[in-house]
Amino acid sequence: MFSVQRIYDYTPQADSTGVFLDRLYPRGVHKELMAQVVWLKDLTPSAELRRWYHADSGNRYAEFAARYRAELLDPVHQAALAELWRLSQARPHTVLLTAVKQPEHSHIAVLLDYLHENGEHGSVQNQN
């Protein structure tokens, strides 16, 4: 089962794995917390795509989602996806962590859709 949570609200639990899915280090998060999560930078959108999207995020989400889905098919992203699947098998709950304010309009939402379409049979919960 996957759920989504902002890294700022995250508290590690024994029965879950926290996976941070942003390219940049989250401001204000202590190194001790980051040491308790897995950081999969290679599963994030490319720097170019991220910059393009943030230049006009209000009007570019659909195109961003399509471009990110295309990136998810490259070998680097596929290897990171394989690691995420492996981590999700190890514990009953995987928490996808992000620093973005609106995960439902970010790469996290696109990734969740991709995971469901490509094999995840558990449920997804957004924990704000």
Side-chain angles (χ1 to χ4, degrees):
M1 177 174 82
F2 291 107
S3 65
V4 175
Q5 189 173 11
R6 290 194 73 215
I7 186 93
Y8 305 107
D9 303 322
Y10 180 66
T11 302
Q13 303 292 320
D15 66 340
S16 68
T17 301
V19 181
F20 185 63
L21 295 171
D22 290 348
R23 182 144 319 252
L24 304 174
Y25 193 93
R27 287 186 176 185
V29 173
H30 295 284
K31 291 180 183 179
E32 294 82 15
L33 177 60
M34 287 301 287
Q36 297 179 57
V37 303
V38 178
W39 190 358
L40 290 180
K41 287 183 191 179
D42 288 340
L43 199 48
T44 64
S46 65
E48 300 82 33
L49 180 57
R50 193 171 42 82
R51 280 192 292 272
W52 174 84
Y53 177 56
H54 288 292
D56 188 11
S57 60
N59 294 311
R60 293 183 172 174
Y61 183 74
E63 179 66 19
F64 165 77
R67 290 183 184 191
Y68 180 46
R69 282 179 161 277
E71 286 187 354
L72 288 173
L73 300 176
D74 72 36
V76 172
H77 283 87
Q78 286 294 302
L81 279 164
E83 177 64 9
L84 180 60
W85 285 120
R86 188 190 68 72
L87 291 167
S88 72
Q89 300 299 315
R91 294 211 176 124
H93 186 221
T94 303
V95 182
L96 305 180
L97 300 168
T98 183
V100 300
K101 292 180 182 175
Q102 295 181 319
E104 63 277 3
H105 292 100
S106 73
H107 65 289
I108 300 296
V110 177
L111 179 61
L112 284 171
D113 287 344
Y114 182 90
L115 291 170
H116 283 310
E117 292 166 8
N118 291 281
E120 171 55 26
H121 300 291
S123 63
V124 176
Q125 301 169 358
N126 190 352
Q127 299 176 349
N128 290 331

